[in-house]
């Protein structure tokens, strides 16, 4: 499929569907009615939505490529790797697993577990779930009892997507939300208008149009949406807007999940291995920084930490790899719009930062293209080292010893991810133990996003809440505890009037010392 570089649209908001407050109220009401009808709870409905999404991705693939090209200049190979392919994988996995995910975690057998140093004082009854993954403990004193944990949909949820992965960050949460049985309002970013139109034109054709709705528009539409009551809101974007979303959600006590980002560091050890290992590591750094939306990705490497003595080797390998990977500017996405282009250009205008540029730095404002740029030791108090870069600029910061990188990372806000290329097991252990981040990936970068068995999410300023795979289902579900008791045994010690013997029996019960309880009940122990 031949696609030339597409120049950015002059009108970034072209084609948006703008709804007034009344229209939004009707839309939210339709979503609530669809959920209250009960149909979204069934396995058949959930599977039908996932199959519809898979058909959309297959039948409208070319149109999706075209939209991503128009919005961000993404090559169709990058678009498939980072968005469409990931979504096909996720939707297929959810379709395969949703029946198991939504099944109640019921107790099916019991085993008596004994206290240490005792034979006859059973601590509790262990109820093992049919899934074999979760265990529910019910105290023996509750016998006869049945317990289960039953996932239920939250209700009507709102998803705000970001512009940098506009298809993936819209539909990946949607997979989990419909698998969990919710009605969903999806608000794509107005900064990726072609993708927003693509979603608005197609979601209703392939999914339940009354229960899954795409709402297009700018910031004013987002503000109007937050005036309504939602059962959960997922926001992906900047910390500044996240604070606005949280403040609005607080009016209705709406739970919020935030996926934000931050400055993701990459600790680059000398590798202590072969030239092949070094080149493989550099390939992965270059791919993670420049081939994912030109560095406009929350998981992209923000800066590299490396020992001073190793800098020449690393710089040489980075330069040759960039030349080999990006033989044509068509193979790297463009900057999303003029405002972000000016922001990135401004980072380089600081004279002390400009002096640190080793490679690149050329700017093409007409086509919103910035050449892959490497900087060496820009001032740590400059904007490029205190703000998330979110673009194709890569600072390299030197340390005396690679172990010093741990303290460097710890001294800064917790990022969405920490990357480290090293074979040093002790250093890997320190990074895991002594730093805090949404994830840690060794000897690669960004790929953790595509692994469904790993949760995706931040911590602290990089966000909170996790999704992907079953974690998406759980994000949009409530785990309801259900306990059913019989009438065979009644513990009268739980009721007044109180006396010392009842207190003594309760002391034994809360220690799961059932022999002591019996002895106290019989008056043989105080």
């Amino acid at each position: 499929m031949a696609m030339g570089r597409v120049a950015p649209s002059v009108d970034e908001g072209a084609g948006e569907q703008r709804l007034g407050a009344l229209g939004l109220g009707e839309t939210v009401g339709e979503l609530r009615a669809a959920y209250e009808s009960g149909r979204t709870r069934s396995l058949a409905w959930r599977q039908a939505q996932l199959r519809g999404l898979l058909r959309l991705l297959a039948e409208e693939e070319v149109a999706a490529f075209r939209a991503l090209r128009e919005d961000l200049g993404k090559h169709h190979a990058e678009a498939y790797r980072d968005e469409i392919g990931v979504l096909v994988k996720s939707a297929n996995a959810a379709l395969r697993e949703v029946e198991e995910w939504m099944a109640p975690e019921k107790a099916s057998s019991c085993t008596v577990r004994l206290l240490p140093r005792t034979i006859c004082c059973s601590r509790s009854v262990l109820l093992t779930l049919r899934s074999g993954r979760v265990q529910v403990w019910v105290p023996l004193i509750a016998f006869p009892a049945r317990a289960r944990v039953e996932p239920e949909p939250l209700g009507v949820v709102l998803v705000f997507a970001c512009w940098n992965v506009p298809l993936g960050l819209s539909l990946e949460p949607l997979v989990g939300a419909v698998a969990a049985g919710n009605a969903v309002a999806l608000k794509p970013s107005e900064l990726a208008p072609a993708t927003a139109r693509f979603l608005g034109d197609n979601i209703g054709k392939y999914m339940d149009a009354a229960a899954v709705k795409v709402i297009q528009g700018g910031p004013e539409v987002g503000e109007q949406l937050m005036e309504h009551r939602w059962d959960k809101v997922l926001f992906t974007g900047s910390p500044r807007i996240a604070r606005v979303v949280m403040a609005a959600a607080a009016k209705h006590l709406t739970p919020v999940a935030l996926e934000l980002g931050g400055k993701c560091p990459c600790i680059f050890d000398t590798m202590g291995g072969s030239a092949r290992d070094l080149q493989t590591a550099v390939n992965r750094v270059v791919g993670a920084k420049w081939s994912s939306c030109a560095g406009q990705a929350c998981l992209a490497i923000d800066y590299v930490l490396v020992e001073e003595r190793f800098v020449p080797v690393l710089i040489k390998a980075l330069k040759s790899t960039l030349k080999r990977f990006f033989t044509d500017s068509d193979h790297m996405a463009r900057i999303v719009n003029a405002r972000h282009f000016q922001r990135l250009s401004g980072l380089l205008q600081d004279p002390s930062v400009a002096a640190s540029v080793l490679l690149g730095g050329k700017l093409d404002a007409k086509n919103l293209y910035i050449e892959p740029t490497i900087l060496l030791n820009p001032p740590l108090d400059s904007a490029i080292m205190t703000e998330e870069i979110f673009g194709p600029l890569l600072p390299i910061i030197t340390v005396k010893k690679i172990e010093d990188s741990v303290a460097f990372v710890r001294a800064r806000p917790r990022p969405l991810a920490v990357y480290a290329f090293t074979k040093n097991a002790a250093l890997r252990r320190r990074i895991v133990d002594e730093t805090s981040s949404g994830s840690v990936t060794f000897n690669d970068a960004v790929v953790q996003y595509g692994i469904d068995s790993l949760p995706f999410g931040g911590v602290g300023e990089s966000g909170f809440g996790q999704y992907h795979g079953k974690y998406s289902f759980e994000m949009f579900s409530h785990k309801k505890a259900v306990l059913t008791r019989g009438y065979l045994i009644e513990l009268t010690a739980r009721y007044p009037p109180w006396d010392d013997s009842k207190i003594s029996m309760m002391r034994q019960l809360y220690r799961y010392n059932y022999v002591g309880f019996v002895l106290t009940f019989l008056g043989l122990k105080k």
Side-chain angles (χ1 to χ4, degrees), residues 228-254:
H228 296 273
R229 180 176 66 85
W230 305 94
D231 297 300
K232 184 128 190 185
V233 172
L234 169 61
F235 171 82
T236 302
S238 71
R240 180 179 64 85
I241 304 301
R243 291 182 176 91
V244 175
V245 170
M246 285 197 70
K251 298 175 184 177
H252 300 288
L253 295 180
T254 300

Side-chain angles (χ1 to χ4, degrees), residues 153-176:
L154 292 176
V156 182
V157 302
L158 172 62
V159 175
F160 285 103
C162 194
W163 53 262
N164 58 325
V165 188
L167 198 64
L169 293 178
S170 295
L171 300 184
E172 184 75 40
L174 182 62
V175 168

Side-chain angles (χ1 to χ4, degrees), residues 357-499:
V357 174
L358 292 182
L359 178 72
K362 293 181 181 178
L363 309 174
D364 180 354
K366 180 180 179 181
N367 292 303
L368 298 181
Y369 177 78
I370 297 179
E371 186 181 19
T373 302
I374 299 174
L375 308 92
L376 181 61
N377 286 325
L380 296 182
D381 60 353
S382 61
I384 201 169
M385 286 306 299
T386 57
E387 301 173 5
E388 184 179 9
I389 296 172
F390 225 66
L393 317 178
L394 180 65
I396 295 176
I397 306 300
T398 58
V399 292
K400 294 291 185 183
K401 297 185 301 181
I402 198 64
E403 289 79 9
D404 296 340
S405 60
V406 176
F408 189 97
V409 172
R410 281 180 56 123
R412 285 155 178 79
R414 291 176 285 182
L416 188 58
V418 171
Y419 304 115
F421 290 82
T422 180
K423 294 182 178 181
N424 185 330
L427 179 59
R428 289 200 300 265
R429 188 68 260 167
R430 284 194 62 195
I431 291 168
V432 172
D433 290 346
E434 299 178 29
T435 69
S436 179
S437 59
S439 66
V440 176
T441 297
F442 293 113
N443 302 326
D444 211 332
V446 179
V447 294
Q448 75 274 19
Y449 179 86
I451 299 176
D452 289 334
S453 57
L454 291 176
F456 169 68
V459 59
E461 292 184 21
S462 58
F464 46 81
Q466 297 175 312
Y467 69 107
H468 284 198
K470 190 178 181 183
Y471 298 98
S472 297
F473 177 88
E474 292 175 345
M475 171 183 277
F476 293 109
S477 298
H478 166 63
K479 288 191 172 184
K480 181 162 59 180
V482 181
L483 176 67
T484 304
R485 291 207 58 208
Y487 292 98
L488 181 62
I489 297 174
E490 177 68 335
L491 178 63
T492 57
R494 63 192 276 198
Y495 305 121
W498 308 117
D499 56 39

